[in-house]
Amino acid sequence: MNDLAITALSAAPLHVLEIWSDPPGVAKRFAATFGAELPMLGSSLQLPSMQLVRYEPAVWLIEGEIGGLEPVIGLDGSLTPIGGGLVRVRLSGAGWRSLLMEGGVFDAESKDFATGCSAATVIDHVNIRLLVESDQACLAYVPLSYAHDMIHFWTVAAESLI
């Protein structure tokens, strides 16, 4: 597809937030501190300094500055820096949904997978995290060890899309 772009983005501060005890208490402290609710499974929340993306029942990926989160979490979870472990790849253009269907097991063409939605999936045997940025773009978080091969896979697959 001529309008499809696959762009590896520069590194960004990335952390994983895990909550393993007292989720209601952490959620209440989060809302009091940040003035918003923690995102539900399959969704994201954009705050001025960070974006939280929920992929698993008790796990969020956080991009940006995490100031103020540690007291919110307390002893009920952990905040782990993983910035060097993932490569952010933007898939943009009208064909990004079709591209994700190549080698994938997730229905990226569903109308329910809209702006702000997230998903954890496997594409060409690689664990990928997805965040829909708009109708024209999706951000894929790819493990560093597979990023080169995944970008190559998508580049070759994009050439076959009509």
Side-chain angles (χ1 to χ4, degrees):
M1 298 194 122
N2 294 338
D3 68 337
L4 186 58
I6 302 161
T7 309
L9 303 176
S10 60
L14 296 173
H15 291 78
V16 170
L17 165 63
E18 295 180 82
I19 300 173
W20 55 71
S21 65
D22 193 20
V26 175
K28 185 176 180 179
R29 293 190 301 268
F30 183 89
T33 301
F34 294 103
E37 301 291 323
L38 281 168
M40 301 298 293
L41 186 60
S43 64
S44 64
L45 170 66
Q46 181 67 58
L47 295 173
S49 65
M50 71 179 120
Q51 183 168 34
L52 291 91
V53 185
R54 190 169 182 184
Y55 293 108
E56 298 175 34
V59 180
W60 292 258
L61 177 67
I62 301 173
E63 184 172 329
E65 300 305 317
I66 56 166
L69 261 179
E70 289 180 355
V72 167
I73 299 164
L75 298 176
D76 295 315
S78 67
L79 194 56
T80 307
I82 61 161
L86 294 176
V87 174
R88 300 173 315 131
V89 180
R90 178 168 290 121
L91 308 174
S92 58
W96 70 263
R97 291 178 184 275
S98 297
L99 182 62
L100 288 175
M101 298 300 292
E102 295 294 318
V105 296
F106 174 74
D107 185 6
E109 295 178 323
S110 170
K111 291 185 284 185
D112 293 332
F113 191 51
T115 300
C117 289
S118 66
T121 190
V122 175
I123 300 174
D124 197 37
H125 308 288
V126 177
N127 292 323
I128 306 288
R129 305 297 186 254
L130 303 171
L131 173 63
V132 180
E133 294 181 308
S134 70
D135 289 341
Q136 293 295 311
C138 182
L139 192 58
Y141 295 90
V142 182
L144 176 63
S145 58
Y146 292 103
H148 179 268
D149 293 336
M150 195 72 237
I151 291 169
H152 175 73
F153 172 82
W154 279 328
T155 300
V156 171
E159 293 172 3
S160 70
L161 296 176
I162 298 173

